Amino acid sequence: MLSIIGIITILVIVALLISGRVSPIVAMVIPPIVAMFVAGYSFDDLGVFFDEGISSVISVAIMFIFAIIFFGIMQDVGLFEPIINKMVALSKGNVVLVAIVTVVIAVIAQLDGSGASTFLISITALLPLYVRLGMNPYLLLLLVGGSAAIINMIPWGGPLGRVASVLETDVTELWHPLIKIQVIGVVLMLLLAVFMGFREKRLIAKRAQTGQTLKFDLSNSILNAETDETLKRPKLIWANAILAIVVLAVLMSGLLPAGLAFLIGVAIALPLNYRTPKEQMGRIQAHASNALTMASIIIAAGLFLGILNGTGMLTAIANNAVNILPSFLAQYLHIIIGVLGVPFDLLLSTDAYYFALFPVVDQIGLTYGIDSLSTAYAMIIGNIVGTFVSPLAPAVWLALGLSGLEMGKHLKFSFFWMWGLSITLLIIAVLIGVVQV
C-alpha cells in the first residue's frame, strides 16, 4: 500500500510540475501531505517529517540565497564585461573564431549560475555579429546552451543543490568529482564549436555562390537590454575580481561551508561597491526575488523528501520495483536514466527529475550495491546538458525572446547535438570512474 501511495504521489507531483499550473512549492507540499494522511499518519508525524526534511536541506537553501546575491552584485558592478568585450574584439569576424568565442563567453557568463543572465549577456553581445556574418543564429543558442549547461554543474547552479538536498550531503563535496567532467565538457564544446564553425563557413560560402541569404528578421529580437550604468564600478574591477577569486577558492578548498563563504562575500562586496545603507539594501532587494524563490523551492522539497523518507514510501517503491524489474536491467537503471536524461528534459522539469525521479532510482541502485553518488553523477551528467534545449526551462524562452527565434527550430537544430554530447560525457564519466557500473 505504501508503494502504491508513493507512486501515485510522485506521479501527481510530476504531472503538476509539468503542467505549470501551480508553483513547485504547491506541487511539493500539498500532495505529500495528503498522501501522508491517507497512509495513516498524524499531524504530530507531519511535524517530525518536516523537521527532518528541513534539517537536510537548510544549508543548501542558505547557500543559494547568498550565492545568487553575491554573483548578482558582481554582475551589477560589471565584473564580467571587460573579459567578454575582449573576447568579442578578438574574434575579428572569423566565423570559426566567433563560434569558439561564443563558448568562452557562455562559460564565463554562466559562472553566476543563472541561465537567464548568460543568455542575456551572450545574445546581446553576439547576435548582431552572427547576423552580420551571415551565421545561423540557432548555432548561437546551441553553443551558449550547451556551454552554460556544463558550467551549471557548479554548486550554486541548481541541479547539484537539489541532489545534495536529496542525499543530505555537502554540495561542494558533491561537486568536486564533477570538475573534471566540466573541464572535459568545455573542451568538447570547443571542439563542437570548431566543427560547427567550419560547417557554418562552408554554408555561408555556398549561400554566397548561389546568391541566397539566411532569412532572419532582426526586428523580432530584443537587442538593447537596458543596463543601469550607475551600478557599475570600473575603478574597482580588480578589487571585485580578487574578491570573487578568493570566494571561489574558499569554496573549492572546503575551508568554509558554501553558504558562509558567500555570506562573507556579500558582506564584503556591498560596502566595497556601494557606500550608503540604502544602496546596499537596494542591491539585496534587487536579487532577493531570485534568491528566495530558489530557497523556498528547496525548503518545500525538504518537506516532500521528509515525508517520503519518513513514511517509508521511497523504500517501499524501490523494493517493489526490484521485484518487478529484471535484475540485468535494474542494476543498470542509473545508466539507462542517464542516457535518457536529455529526452527526460523535454518531459520533466528540473524539480521533477531530481526530487521525484532521482530518489526512486537511487533506492533501486542501492539495492544492487550502486553508490548513491554514482547514481547522482549518472543522472546529473546525462540530464544537465539538455537543460537549455528544454521548453520547460524559463531561460530558454528568454533566449528565444531575445533572439526572435522559435522553440521548434531550436529543438530541431540543437536537440541531437546536445543528446550526443550528454551520452559522450556519460561514457567518459564511466571510463574515468566517476560513475560506477
Side-chain angles (χ1 to χ4, degrees), residues 66 69-70 73 243 261-272 280:
F66 292 106
I69 293 175
F70 177 77
I73 294 170
L243 174 60
F262 282 116
L263 172 59
I264 294 172
V266 170
I268 296 173
L270 285 172
L272 173 65
Q280 295 169 13

Side-chain angles (χ1 to χ4, degrees), residues 335-358:
I335 301 295
I336 294 170
I337 298 297
V339 169
L340 297 175
V342 173
F344 267 125
D345 242 326
L346 305 183
L347 303 173
L348 303 177
S349 68
T350 304
D351 294 313
Y353 185 82
Y354 290 108
F355 290 139
L357 182 60
F358 169 62

Side-chain angles (χ1 to χ4, degrees), residues 138-146 189 196 410 413-414 417-418:
Y138 286 99
L139 175 59
L140 173 60
L141 293 193
L142 166 63
L143 296 177
V144 173
M189 281 304 305
M196 296 298 284
H410 173 46
F413 188 91
S414 301
W417 289 110
M418 290 298 93

Side-chain angles (χ1 to χ4, degrees), residues 258-409:
L260 179 57
F262 282 116
L263 172 59
I264 294 172
V266 170
I268 296 173
L270 285 172
L272 173 65
N273 295 286
Y274 305 104
R275 300 304 180 192
T276 68
K278 183 178 180 180
E279 288 178 314
Q280 295 169 13
M281 290 305 298
R283 290 303 86 216
I284 293 176
Q285 291 167 4
H287 302 293
S289 176
N290 290 334
L292 292 178
T293 297
M294 179 56 70
S296 64
I297 292 173
I298 293 293
I299 290 172
L303 172 63
F304 161 61
L305 293 168
I307 291 175
L308 262 66
N309 281 314
T311 58
M313 291 182 191
L314 285 180
T315 302
I317 292 171
N319 290 336
N320 282 286
V322 168
N323 293 329
I324 296 172
L325 288 172
S327 59
F328 73 91
L329 182 63
Q331 62 185 330
Y332 299 114
L333 185 59
H334 63 306
I335 301 295
I336 294 170
I337 298 297
V339 169
L340 297 175
V342 173
F344 267 125
D345 242 326
L346 305 183
L347 303 173
L348 303 177
S349 68
T350 304
D351 294 313
Y353 185 82
Y354 290 108
F355 290 139
L357 182 60
F358 169 62
V360 176
V361 177
D362 178 37
Q363 288 295 320
I364 295 173
L366 287 172
T367 306
Y368 288 92
I370 304 298
D371 186 76
S372 293
L373 289 177
S374 188
T375 300
Y377 293 142
M379 291 186 63
I380 290 168
I381 294 167
N383 170 263
I384 203 167
V385 175
T387 299
F388 298 121
V389 76
S390 170
L392 299 177
V396 174
W397 293 103
L398 171 63
L400 295 172
L402 289 169
S403 57
L405 302 178
E406 300 174 17
M407 174 60 81
K409 292 181 179 178

